[in-house]
Amino acid sequence: MDLLHGNFFVFFQAIMFAALATTSLSSASLLSPNYYGHSCPQALSTIRRVVENAVQKEPRMGASLLRLHFHDCFVNGCDGSILLDPTSTIDSEKNAFSNKNSVRGFEVVDEIKEAVDKACGKPVVSCADILAVAARDSVVALGGPRWKVRLGRRDSTTASRDDANNNLPAPFFSISQLISNFKNHGLNEKDLVVLSGAHTIGFARCFFFKDHIYNDTNINPKFAKKLKYICPRNGGNPNTLAPLDAASAARFDAAYYGDLVHKKGVLHSDQELLNSDSTDGLVKKYSYDGEGFYKDFAKSMVKMGNIKPLTGNHGEIRLNCRKVNQYH
Ligand code: HEM
Ligand SMILES: *[C@@H]1O[C@H](CO)[C@@H](O)[C@H](O)[C@H]1NC(C)=O
């Protein structure tokens, strides 16, 4: 009897320890696809409707919304911090090197938030979840894969331009810098290659690809010449855009990987994926395996969406995605 009791106690302790260890490792396990099933059954269809309209009006908006979720998740987790405007106490992430004059789509996020709060009759859907769902709906709207978005993230009450500068990868990164940046976010080489495939849609500014086209040698010369024409070394407009995937900037396909194989990556960081034994094989595989790319992209998006969410009584549900709530 005593022995049995003692054994049970040890067993119970072991279970509790395991449970604690897993939850402290990942509050992501608290997210679930049906999180708003009771509190707001119309949430997902409402977000999709606004995203579809926005993408129909301007296909690039799908790319911009996908990128917002990425830039949110890589800075202290997927907590909507990128959406906060500057104030006396908020050093907005919008002013970080990789974001300034670059990230866009905030008006569409405002529009989604307004529509979803109205549909729900109360503000229950977080801005961080809106970014995660809008990213998925954008990919689907542009012909890419679908995945179940896990939900229940709450919104941050802080933002940090320094953390954005220190945590977002830059286009001048080498392959080893890219790999270690992704590792710092719990993502491996495969996640790096497959998530970079997001560059199958959207555009980049001359400012970000100038060094690659003038200084790198791992670029197709004819391709470089075309880009140099719209992005002169001196005196050009830094905001001139080039499609990240020249053939189909508004179609979520696997053409980006074919571009890389032909040395037609627009960014230095894109072309770097062919520069390591741990990544070049996957680039080549995805260049002829679109189905494989779709499947793996969906998986890695879920993984990225799980980065350090605020759950429980951490954070808040913002009333306005650009501002922290007044009262706590
Ligand atoms: C691997 C490291 C990455 C680097 C260094 C990087 C860098 C960049 C840069 C410099 C631009 C052009 C921005 C501009 O010219 O204003 C861009 C655009 C874009 N990035 Fe990335 N990126 C990376 C990974 C990702 C990931 C993981 C995603 C999403 C899953 C993503 C999604 C996008 C999209 C969709 C665009 C086009 C946005 C638009 O047209 O508005 N990127 N990226
Ligand atoms: C290319 O490299 C040179 C020498 O390091 C540097 O001065 C220049 O700013 C770089 N970029 C371009 C677009 O020439």
Side-chain angles (χ1 to χ4, degrees):
M1 174 71 185
D2 247 337
L3 193 68
L4 189 70
H5 197 209
N7 275 346
F8 179 76
F9 186 70
V10 169
F11 177 70
F12 182 74
Q13 268 192 324
I15 294 271
M16 286 312 288
F17 179 75
L20 271 174
T22 8
T23 41
S24 64
L25 270 177
S26 87
S27 47
S29 56
L30 298 174
L31 302 180
S32 76
N34 200 32
Y35 188 80
Y36 298 110
H38 291 290
S39 58
C40 185
Q42 317 87 317
L44 295 192
S45 58
T46 305
I47 299 172
R48 193 195 334 128
R49 178 173 49 77
V50 181
V51 170
E52 280 174 356
N53 283 339
V55 172
Q56 195 170 35
K57 233 191 312 178
E58 188 208 8
R60 187 190 177 195
M61 189 50 71
S64 305
L65 291 171
L66 172 58
R67 187 168 184 236
L68 273 186
H69 180 48
F70 161 52
H71 282 208
D72 183 30
C73 293
F74 265 49
V75 184
N76 300 317
C78 315
D79 61 359
S81 57
I82 192 173
L83 302 174
L84 292 174
D85 281 341
T87 67
S88 57
T89 53
I90 298 285
D91 193 7
S92 180
E93 293 169 18
K94 294 178 183 182
N95 292 323
F97 173 77
S98 294
N99 289 337
K100 200 178 165 81
N101 301 319
S102 182
V103 281
R104 57 199 292 281
F106 299 107
E107 294 78 12
V108 175
V109 174
D110 292 340
E111 200 186 320
I112 296 172
K113 174 66 172 164
E114 205 173 306
V116 100
D117 283 359
K118 197 169 156 202
C120 304
K122 50 193 186 295
V124 287
V125 180
S126 69
C127 300
D129 277 350
I130 286 174
L131 289 182
V133 175
R136 189 273 313 271
D137 291 347
S138 293
V139 169
V140 172
L142 294 172
R146 167 184 294 281
W147 60 92
K148 272 209 164 83
V149 181
R150 300 171 67 187
L151 299 165
R153 302 168 187 80
R154 291 167 63 83
D155 298 323
S156 75
T157 53
T158 57
S160 168
R161 172 176 21 182
D162 290 342
D163 291 348
N165 279 329
N166 292 328
N167 287 287
L168 291 171
F172 52 77
F173 274 14
S174 66
I175 185 63
S176 58
Q177 287 174 305
L178 291 168
I179 290 172
S180 73
N181 175 276
F182 271 59
K183 290 244 156 99
N184 290 340
H185 297 100
L187 300 171
N188 59 28
E189 284 93 337
K190 183 173 182 176
D191 298 313
L192 167 64
V193 174
V194 77
L195 290 173
S196 296
H199 290 172
T200 184
I201 54 173
F203 293 81
R205 291 152 59 232
C206 163
F207 174 77
F208 279 128
F209 61 78
K210 193 184 254 187
D211 289 339
H212 178 51
I213 61 176
Y214 286 99
N215 284 351
D216 289 349
T217 53
N218 58 346
I219 184 168
N220 176 302
K222 275 192 187 151
F223 180 67
K225 199 172 163 191
K226 274 195 208 158
L227 289 175
K228 285 173 182 172
Y229 187 74
I230 62 162
C231 181
R233 189 192 288 270
N234 300 304
N237 180 350
N239 297 320
T240 302
L241 295 173
L244 284 160
D245 166 26
S248 53
R251 197 167 350 113
F252 197 98
D253 53 22
Y256 166 81
Y257 298 101
D259 296 339
L260 299 188
V261 170
H262 296 111
K263 298 197 178 155
K264 293 180 179 179
V266 173
L267 302 174
H268 172 80
S269 51
D270 291 324
Q271 205 56 55
E272 278 293 285
L273 299 178
L274 269 186
N275 225 350
S276 156
D277 289 341
S278 64
T279 53
D280 68 342
L282 263 180
V283 171
K284 289 173 194 157
K285 173 183 136 70
Y286 290 141
S287 73
Y288 56 78
D289 181 12
E291 285 301 309
F293 166 54
Y294 274 19
K295 241 183 78 210
D296 294 345
F297 186 80
K299 259 197 227 164
S300 291
M301 282 300 290
V302 172
K303 203 168 158 187
M304 184 177 86
N306 283 342
I307 298 175
K308 283 174 51 190
L310 295 171
T311 56
N313 55 9
H314 299 287
E316 63 182 19
I317 305 298
R318 271 182 226 145
L319 303 174
N320 175 337
C321 290
R322 294 173 182 266
K323 294 184 196 162
V324 171
N325 296 345
Q326 216 95 34
Y327 304 102
H328 289 282

